Amino acid sequence: MIIDERRIAEEVLRLTRARAPKTICPSEVARALRPEGEAWRDLMPEVRRVAAALPGIVATQGGQPVDAAAARGPIRLSCDAAD
């Protein structure tokens, strides 16, 4: 199943806004977009890439802002407080 950028962006925004001011893991987005039992890990690079390009989305690692697409290892996503 191919997931387009628009659907990924909508899910990132929906989940981060619903959880604000707390953060989400990008894997929550991937899992929400894949039906039960389908592999979600292969969607992770695309989720990170789309999240990195979304205005108002902040990626952090160890509490410090990072580029979601370039960071290695676990990151968290949240809505910008000004959003």
Side-chain angles (χ1 to χ4, degrees):
M1 172 190 229
I2 297 173
I3 309 288
D4 66 18
E5 284 185 25
R6 180 191 52 79
R7 286 191 58 211
I8 293 170
E10 288 171 353
E11 195 64 19
V12 168
L13 293 170
R14 184 185 75 77
L15 289 173
T16 55
R17 288 174 179 160
R19 187 80 50 87
K22 296 185 181 201
T23 62
I24 67 162
C25 180
S27 68
E28 293 177 63
V29 176
R31 288 177 177 152
L33 293 170
R34 294 284 188 190
E36 187 67 32
E38 259 193 54
W40 53 267
R41 283 183 171 82
D42 61 331
L43 194 55
M44 291 294 291
E46 187 70 0
V47 170
R48 285 175 168 236
R49 187 187 66 72
V50 170
L54 282 173
I57 297 298
V58 177
T60 57
Q61 189 172 55
Q64 299 300 311
V66 294
D67 177 348
R72 297 184 62 108
I75 64 169
R76 303 292 294 180
L77 301 173
S78 63
C79 287
D80 186 348
D83 186 31

